[in-house]
Structure formats: structure tokens, C-alpha cells
Amino acid sequence: MKHTPAYPRTPFAGISSAERWVERFVAWYNFEHRHSAIRYVTPDERHCGRENDILDRRHELYQRARDANPERWSCRTRNWTPVGLVVLNPERASVTDAAQMTRQLP
């Protein structure tokens, strides 16, 4: 939350103002903000199973735009296939590899 431009620059006046701000932020984050990691759908759209329909419609729209103006496209359109499993803070391969190597030492 602190990395969003909307985060207050000054301390909250009290717990109730902090709670109101967090409630608004969570609503925006889940219902309005389109996340690049999940192909620009909202978490709510993904959670409620609307992701596939939205991404199918986007794919069709991009294909029609490309077909109508092929000279404007240098390659394929954006990948609109649904994203599989999403993990928060995934372990980097180097960390995982190092941990496995440590376990294998005698």
C-alpha cells in the first residue's frame, strides 16, 4: 500500500481515518485496478470466474483491429490467454537452487 501514489504523505488523523483509507484502497485494488500479472483483469474478475470471457473478448477485439489495419502491427497481438497459478512473492530460482544444494550436502 505504501508504494501507491495515493498513500497519504502525512500520518493518519486517527484509527478511523486509517481504516477508511484502507477500505477505499482495498476496494480499488480488488475491483478497479487491472493487474498486469493477470493480463489486466481485476482480482475480483479473476476470482469470480469472469477472466476467460474478458480475455476472449479482448483477444477478438485486438484481432479485428490487427485485421483492419495490418500495417500498424509489427507482430502478433498481446497474449490474452489466462494466467495459471498466481503466487505472491514467489521464490527466485537462485534461492530455491541454493536451498536444495544445502540440503544435499553431507
Side-chain angles (χ1 to χ4, degrees):
M1 286 189 288
K2 287 186 176 184
H3 299 289
T4 182
Y7 194 80
R9 294 179 191 263
T10 58
F12 293 105
I15 190 73
S16 62
S17 65
E19 288 171 341
R20 282 192 306 274
W21 188 90
V22 170
E23 286 173 4
R24 287 192 307 268
F25 176 82
V26 169
W28 169 80
Y29 188 87
N30 288 321
F31 299 103
E32 296 177 41
H33 179 61
R34 288 174 172 78
H35 295 258
S36 61
I38 54 175
R39 308 273 195 248
Y40 299 98
V41 296
T42 67
D44 181 66
E45 291 166 339
R46 181 177 165 93
H47 179 73
C48 293
R50 296 188 304 269
E51 170 187 36
N52 289 341
D53 290 337
I54 292 167
L55 295 177
D56 286 345
R57 287 195 313 266
R58 285 186 189 158
H59 176 69
E60 290 172 15
L61 177 69
Y62 271 65
Q63 286 302 116
R64 285 195 310 268
R66 184 172 182 242
D67 293 344
N69 297 293
E71 67 281 355
R72 293 184 64 191
W73 299 82
S74 59
C75 58
R76 296 185 306 252
T77 64
R78 184 182 297 259
N79 180 0
W80 292 116
T81 57
V83 174
L85 179 66
V86 175
V87 179
L88 294 177
N89 302 320
E91 292 211 29
R92 294 183 308 228
S94 60
V95 173
T96 305
D97 293 344
Q100 288 175 353
M101 286 177 57
T102 303
R103 280 188 233 127
Q104 293 173 359
L105 294 176

